[in-house]
Structures are given as C-alpha cells and as structure tokens.
Amino acid sequence: MSTLPLVLNAIAEEQAVIELPVQSGPAALPVPNPTKSLWVDTPGANPLGKEGSTGALTHDADICIIGSGITGVSAAYHISRLLLEEGVDGKDLKITILEARDFCSGATGRNGGHLTPAFFQGVVGYSALYGTEEAVRAIALEQHTSSSIVKLIKKTGAEAAVDLVEGGHTTLLFTEPEVVVAKADYAAAKAAGINVDSVKFLSKDEVKETYGAEYPAIHAPGHNLWPLKLVTHLYNLTKDTLGSKLTLHTNTPVTAITPILATSDSSRRWNLTTPRGPVACSYVLHATNAYASHLLPHMHGPSGIIPTRGQIIALRAAASLDNITKSSWDGNDGFEYWFPRPLAGDETEPLVILGGGRESTKPKFELYTVDDASVNPVVGDTLRRFLPAAFPGKYEPGREPEMEWTGIMGYTKTHDPFVGPVIDPAQPDAHKGQYIAAGYTGHGMPRAYGCAEAVAGIIVADIAGKQYTVPDWLPRHYLTQNRLHE
Ligand SMILES: Cc1cc2nc3c(=O)[nH]c(=O)nc-3n(C[C@H](O)[C@H](O)[C@H](O)COP(=O)(O)OP(=O)(O)OC[C@H]3O[C@@H](n4cnc5c(N)ncnc54)[C@H](O)[C@@H]3O)c2cc1C
C-alpha cells in the first residue's frame, strides 16, 4: 500500500485551534483579484459577473441582501416564492443584492462542487451536545436541502445547465479511528430511526476491485454540479418572478451599516454605505459567510465565524472516466474531497477537482486567512501528491494541475451555521431588522439553500406580521436566539 502524503487524524487538533481565544480583529472585506477558479473563470461561465456594477445604484429597497453566493441568491428566491405562497402583498417589495466582487465569486464560486448530504455522519456528537431530536434534524436539514435543490433543477429542466451528476459519494476510511467513528455514527443514526438503507460499508477488497484504492469505505447517494451555474439559475428564476423589483449590484462592497434615525423623513431602518453611495432599506440579510464579522464585529473569533482558506487543484486523471467512476469522494475526516468532472469535448481522461491539504499547515490550518488572491505552496504540494498515492496507476505522479485556486470558508466552533435575527449579546436590540445565514464550516452546499429558506421564512413572517413556524427539518441549535452562550 502506498504511503499517503497526508497528516492523518488531525481533526481533534484542528478543533482545539478553532476554540482558542483570538486577539485579532474582525474579517477584512473580500480581497480584490482572487485566484482564478474553474467555476468562475471558464469563459462564458459567469454571465452575471459584472451585473449592476456600473450605472445607477439602487438607493432604496425593502430588503438588502449582502452577498451573492448560494445563501444570498437562495434567500432572494425563497423570499419571492414565500411572498406569493403566503399571500403577502409583495408585488411592490423591492429586493437588492449587493456583492463586493463579481457575482458569486466567494466560496460558492470557488468550492469543491459537491452536493453531498450527511446520512448518519456526526450523529453521536450531535446527540451528546443537543440530544437525539436535534441530531435527527441535523441530518434532515441536509437531506431536505439536497433533495430540494435536485428537485428544483429537475423540475426546471436545468440538469445540463448546471452539470448535475448523480454519481454517488464514497468516503475512504484511511485509519482505524475513522472506521470506529463511522460505525458508531451509523449505529446511533439507525437507533434514532434515521433511514440509512442507502448507505453501504465497503471492505478494503471491494474498494480495491471497484475503485483501485486499498482502504475500506462508505458509499451513499450524492451529487456533484457546477455551483456558480446553479446560483445563476436560481437568480434567473427569481428575476422571472420579481422583474425590476429585483436588482443586483456586483463590485459594490457594503462597508458600514448605520441606523436611520426615527426622526428622519425616511421610513427605512438601515443605511448601507458603499463606495458608490448609500442604500436605505428596512431589512438586511447578511449572506456574507466567512466575511460576516466585517460588518458584525461581535461575530469575530471562536464565538462567531472564522474565515478559513481552502485550496483546490484541477488535476487531469491518467485513466478513463469509466475507470475513475463518477463518484465524488472524501477522506481523512473530510480534509480531502474530490470528484471527476463530466468529459468535455474530445477529452478522454476526466479533470478531477481536488480540495484539501489544510492539515499540512497545522497548527494554523489556514484559520483566520481571508486572502484568496494567493495559494499556499505547502497545501499545493500535499494536493499534488495525494491522488497518485491513493489510487496507484490512475493518476500520474508529478503531473501539474491545470488550475489551482483558493476560497474562504466560514468556520464556527460547533461547525453549524447561524440562522435568524442578528443578536449581539452585549446589545440585544441593536440590530433589529438585520438577519443572518452564515458559517457553514466548509459544508454549505447541502445546508445553505435550506438555511436561506428558513431565514427567508423568518423575514417574510415579520413582513406579514405573523409568527414564524420553525420547520421540523431545521435544527433548533442553528437559530441565533439559541446560540447566545457561545
Ligand atoms: C475551497 C472551498 C471548497 C469547498 N468545498 C465544498 C464542497 O465541496 N461542498 C460543500 O458543501 N461546501 C464546500 N465549501 C463550502 C461552501 O462553498 C460554502 O459553505 C458556501 O458556498 C457558502 O455560501 P455563501 O453564499 O454563504 O457564501 P459565499 O459564497 O462566500 O458568498 C458570500 C458573498 O458575500 C460577499 N461579501 C462578503 N462581504 C461583503 C460585503 N461587506 N459587501 C458585499 N458583499 C460581501 C462575498 O464576496 C461573497 O461573494 C467549500 C468552500 C471552499 C472555499
């Protein structure tokens, strides 16, 4: 068996570093000129890239959404849908999305492309921290989110437009502790009544025969796609509903949010400062993920959201797609994740998108890093050596990647996002009308669309003067009002 070029079993050490108190200040704004990602920088891939970056700025809106990643755009989509469904007279409500850089050029435009919900993972830990009911909801949220996205893509005939691939997902278990944790989570999930029928444990021999790697594994349903194209599709669906009531201003960073005095003539609550002028609004949604603490300084550090840099390479395999299979993968407690892109044009060997390698930088783990304009050579070296070592013969040792980029994830101490009204424990009423859905800890694709649905529901209920009913599938420990002790 090849020796893997990885630091193994580093998850506990990373958690200890996440929980360390920090003295550094809030996150900076997204840096200009980020590294080029396959998703954003393939010619023609980002038709909304510079949308609304020049010309007149929208100076007044009912709802301002800050951030045009999957959270911000999904929230706009859900708000427009819920206004109709709830019968709220929303025909005149104006929504504007403000984005610091090009459209969807944050984590969603720079990630690993997996849409992989948990089936049983983490159930032991969630049960110990929050009880079995919450553990069941943590799985339900991911299942709800992923199946809703896939249903919407299929219903709107967008499978080809977003490169949806139903390839399944395989988790390689490199070490005995990983096997022990997986088996315990699986047993706990089953005991809690979670349906794990589609999950299969594979022996080392089965994995070797089917995939060519010599480790035991777990196989479960899963998809991969082109995340930016999904978000573009969601934006276009929302635009079809809202027309001119939806505006998007890219390259328009929000640098400050200040209250509008009740004594002023304006009926709005908040004034957003941008280099292009002010925007007044009644509701603000922070869909800024890793960067949330820039505008919400109380959310910096381990009690809030820690910007954490992830790195990806696009590496050409040395075997056919049939040989590699269409499965997406992860291993080493999720530090590494990869999947083969569908073949394009006359390609015979797939381009494999591989992320990870942060554990090679321990004890830093790339935590508190907002610079996605550069790559880390130590991480890059780990990524280059990993696949040829794990799958001998299927990847050429020493082959250089065709692209390499970084992106910034939003880590939280509990690994779970904050969803709901913004609450600063030191001044609980200071942010009335501001909401947040952020902090997915590198696992946002099967959670953000669902969390955006929840926060959209909370905002629409407030507009309608109704009580929000928390859906069964939303973990209560995600809600901001339940996280004031963190
Ligand atoms: C390298 C990498 C690999 C990943 N791989 C996966 C994966 O395979 N599967 C998975 O499930 N998840 C993965 N993730 C995580 C996933 O991409 C994120 O959880 C998800 O995209 C978060 O979406 P978002 O819309 O909340 O944040 P983002 O997509 O980051 O969007 C936030 C936006 O807000 C903008 N913004 C920030 N501050 C301001 C401001 N003040 N004014 C205006 N705009 C602002 C940013 O420019 C950005 O565009 C990965 C992330 C990275 C970085």
Side-chain angles (χ1 to χ4, degrees):
M1 191 186 296
S2 320
T3 307
L4 293 170
L6 302 177
V7 175
L8 298 168
N9 303 125
I11 202 90
E13 194 176 341
E14 182 194 41
Q15 185 63 24
V17 180
I18 290 171
E19 292 184 20
L20 285 176
V22 279
Q23 302 303 318
S24 69
L29 280 171
V31 301
N33 303 319
T35 46
K36 290 190 185 318
S37 85
L38 178 90
W39 314 126
V40 174
D41 295 287
T42 295
N46 197 2
L48 295 168
K50 306 264 182 240
E51 182 82 4
S53 59
T54 56
L57 180 71
T58 305
H59 285 295
D60 179 84
D62 294 277
I63 303 170
C64 277
I65 297 174
I66 311 175
S68 67
I70 190 167
T71 302
V73 176
S74 299
Y77 170 77
H78 287 303
I79 290 170
S80 68
R81 183 180 62 74
L82 288 170
L83 285 171
L84 282 176
E85 282 174 21
E86 298 282 314
V88 179
D89 184 7
K91 65 181 187 308
D92 292 327
L93 282 185
K94 291 182 287 182
I95 302 178
T96 193
I97 302 176
L98 300 167
E99 166 55 51
R101 303 195 297 207
D102 284 2
F103 180 71
C104 197
S105 61
T108 314
R110 328 181 64 72
N111 70 19
H114 296 220
L115 179 60
T116 309
F119 283 81
F120 63 90
Q121 293 84 346
V123 167
V124 169
Y126 278 127
S127 300
L129 276 174
Y130 308 111
T132 309
E133 233 181 315
E134 280 292 275
V136 171
R137 287 196 187 107
I139 302 293
L141 176 270
E142 299 202 20
Q143 293 291 331
H144 168 79
T145 302
S146 300
S147 63
S148 300
I149 290 175
V150 171
K151 259 187 229 149
L152 180 70
I153 291 171
K154 291 187 173 171
K155 191 175 133 200
T156 51
E159 294 96 323
V162 305
D163 274 3
L164 182 72
V165 175
E166 196 165 357
H169 184 84
T170 313
T171 297
L172 287 180
L173 302 167
F174 295 136
T175 64
E176 190 51 27
E178 290 168 86
V179 175
V180 170
V181 168
K183 287 192 170 158
D185 276 337
Y186 179 84
K190 215 170 170 180
I194 295 170
N195 184 345
V196 287
D197 291 351
S198 56
V199 176
K200 288 189 178 52
F201 279 77
L202 305 175
S203 69
K204 190 170 109 172
D205 289 343
E206 286 170 311
V207 174
K208 188 171 182 202
E209 193 180 325
T210 313
Y211 302 111
E214 294 190 47
Y215 306 93
I218 303 160
H219 188 78
H223 292 79
N224 58 74
L225 43 64
W226 190 306
L228 166 64
K229 291 189 177 179
L230 168 65
V231 176
T232 305
H233 182 59
L234 284 170
Y235 179 84
N236 289 337
L237 290 175
T238 314
K239 189 75 179 164
D240 287 348
T241 307
L242 293 181
S244 62
K245 300 296 171 196
L246 174 67
T247 48
L248 164 64
H249 292 288
T250 63
N251 295 282
T252 307
V254 177
T255 53
I257 304 178
T258 46
I260 294 176
L261 296 177
T263 50
S264 80
D265 290 343
S266 173
S267 59
R268 301 299 187 197
R269 282 193 280 215
W270 296 104
N271 191 54
L272 276 50
T273 306
T274 83
R276 300 175 60 201
V279 186
C281 62
S282 301
Y283 292 86
V284 178
L285 174 60
H286 295 259
T288 47
N289 204 36
Y291 307 95
S293 67
H294 185 77
L295 295 169
L296 300 170
H298 71 275
M299 292 198 72
H300 89 280
S303 58
I305 297 176
I306 303 173
T308 302
R309 185 167 66 183
Q311 192 159 321
I312 306 270
I313 62 172
L315 182 70
R316 186 71 58 188
S320 70
L321 184 58
D322 283 349
N323 194 281
I324 298 278
T325 80
K326 288 182 182 170
S327 180
S328 61
W329 300 78
D330 76 299
N332 193 17
D333 290 318
F335 273 113
E336 278 68 48
Y337 43 92
W338 63 102
F339 83 95
R341 292 268 308 126
L343 295 176
D346 56 3
E347 287 176 354
T348 52
E349 293 163 344
L351 193 61
V352 174
I353 308 299
L354 164 67
R358 287 186 305 110
E359 71 282 11
S360 330
T361 70
K362 72 175 195 153
K364 194 167 180 316
F365 291 97
E366 299 288 76
L367 292 155
Y368 295 100
T369 306
V370 287
D371 174 18
D372 59 5
S374 61
V375 298
N376 185 328
V378 174
V379 174
D381 180 60
T382 299
L383 292 175
R384 281 163 175 73
R385 291 190 292 129
F386 168 59
L387 287 175
F391 296 89
K394 302 203 179 198
Y395 296 88
E396 185 190 341
R399 184 177 282 187
E400 269 299 294
E402 295 181 13
M403 289 184 86
E404 183 166 25
W405 65 87
T406 48
I408 312 301
M409 306 177 278
Y411 264 57
T412 69
K413 192 165 60 181
T414 62
H415 293 216
D416 292 324
F418 292 86
V419 179
V422 171
I423 307 171
D424 176 356
Q427 33 176 353
D429 296 323
H431 295 86
K432 205 163 164 32
Q434 294 190 36
Y435 298 81
I436 187 166
Y440 305 100
T441 315
H443 188 56
M445 294 305 288
R447 301 201 281 182
Y449 178 89
C451 291
E453 179 179 352
V455 83
I458 295 170
I459 292 171
V460 170
D462 193 74
I463 292 170
K466 289 185 183 164
Q467 186 77 22
Y468 175 65
T469 307
V470 184
D472 280 351
W473 47 260
L474 186 70
R476 276 43 178 175
H477 67 271
Y478 283 18
L479 292 168
T480 47
Q481 64 264 33
N482 297 331
R483 302 186 65 164
L484 299 178
H485 58 283
E486 279 178 27

